[in-house]
Amino acid sequence: PPGGLLYPFGPAAGDKATPHEDDGMSPEIQLWQPFSFYRRFHHSLYVNNNGVVSFGTGVPEFTPEPFPLPGHRPFVAPYWADVDTTVGGDVFYRQSRKPELLARLARDLAPAVSPSDPAPKPTWAFVATWYRVSFFGAASNKVNTFQAVLATDGATSFVMLNYGDIQWTTGLANQGNAYTGLGGTPAQAGFNSGDDMNYYNIPGSRSPAVLHISRRSNVGIPGRWIFRVD
């Protein structure tokens, strides 16, 4: 897509950042607009360093698990793995009602709806970006860049996952190799609504194939995955 796959991020885009710490997270973020996630409305969320946007509670866990998860834990996982930003990288986030961002989202979300459904017209968005993040125990300069975008008009909700350069899958505590960032228990990607019925594991999750997530898509654009989740 013009301008690249990822939406603008970083301080220049008005982002805040999570603390540089292992297994860290943002404070609880009160949403300007409720986010409908499989018939449940959420009013706040957390951005977790370990590649997860979660509702209700933070997710310090660094070992990825397949969905559905026990315990009714709703979250979106662009790349759930053992990130360590004390080694390198930043985790940025913001919510936005900027018209130019919402207009781009409306265009980009269109392939995710059937022709018989109304075109997406989001009125609010949340953008979380993991930029050049390293992994726990890293003895190399391998880093990952990926993004989660939540968008809603108050009723219809979407999750977009964008993948830039993905160079590692596993931290040292999950039996990964400190030099390659591979092996052990690889990253999990997808979403878990918390109702035990609605969830999605992106193909390749928790396998070596997740390293190539940026080459695949469910909307015909390599590195982009879109789900309607209301």
Side-chain angles (χ1 to χ4, degrees), residues 35-117:
F35 186 76
S36 173
F37 196 19
Y38 286 98
R39 294 172 294 281
R40 183 176 175 189
F41 284 90
H42 297 281
H43 300 270
S44 67
L45 56 72
Y46 296 81
V47 177
N48 304 272
N49 285 5
N50 287 336
V52 173
V53 175
S54 58
F55 302 95
T57 185
V59 179
E61 289 89 350
F62 55 82
T63 301
E65 300 291 343
F67 302 144
L69 295 175
H72 306 291
R73 302 168 66 198
F75 66 68
V76 174
Y79 204 81
W80 184 13
D82 198 0
V83 172
D84 188 351
T85 56
T86 66
V87 180
D90 292 284
V91 182
F92 296 112
Y93 61 91
R94 76 183 181 283
Q95 49 188 326
S96 177
R97 289 194 176 115
K98 287 190 174 180
E100 59 269 28
L101 176 68
L102 297 176
R104 177 178 168 183
L105 261 173
R107 292 191 303 270
D108 290 349
L109 292 171
V113 299
S114 65
S116 60
D117 287 335

Side-chain angles (χ1 to χ4, degrees), residues 10 29 66 105 133 142 157 167-168 181 197 219 221:
I29 301 162
L105 261 173
V133 292
K142 290 183 177 292
S157 299
Q167 301 178 1
W168 62 267
M197 294 183 295
V219 291
I221 300 171

Side-chain angles (χ1 to χ4, degrees), residues 129-215:
T129 308
W130 289 257
Y131 177 60
R132 295 183 59 81
V133 292
S134 192
F135 60 91
F136 177 76
S140 70
N141 58 0
K142 290 183 177 292
V143 292
N144 288 344
T145 296
F146 53 92
Q147 187 176 69
V149 183
L150 280 55
T152 187
D153 61 7
T156 306
S157 299
F158 296 89
V159 167
M160 175 190 292
L161 306 180
N162 296 319
Y163 296 92
D165 192 18
I166 301 296
Q167 301 178 1
W168 62 267
T169 66
T170 322
L172 197 65
N174 288 324
Q175 290 73 56
N177 182 292
Y179 296 95
T180 66
L182 306 176
T185 304
Q188 163 76 9
F191 66 84
N192 186 72
S193 74
D195 65 7
D196 296 331
M197 294 183 295
N198 296 287
Y199 57 89
Y200 187 75
N201 299 290
I202 288 182
S205 290
R206 295 181 81 249
S207 83
V210 78
L211 184 68
H212 308 301
I213 197 169
S214 63
R215 301 180 192 173

Side-chain angles (χ1 to χ4, degrees), residues 8-29:
F9 64 89
D15 283 357
K16 296 180 179 179
T18 65
H20 286 114
E21 57 189 31
D22 185 35
D23 304 330
M25 66 191 71
S26 71
E28 184 178 14
I29 301 162

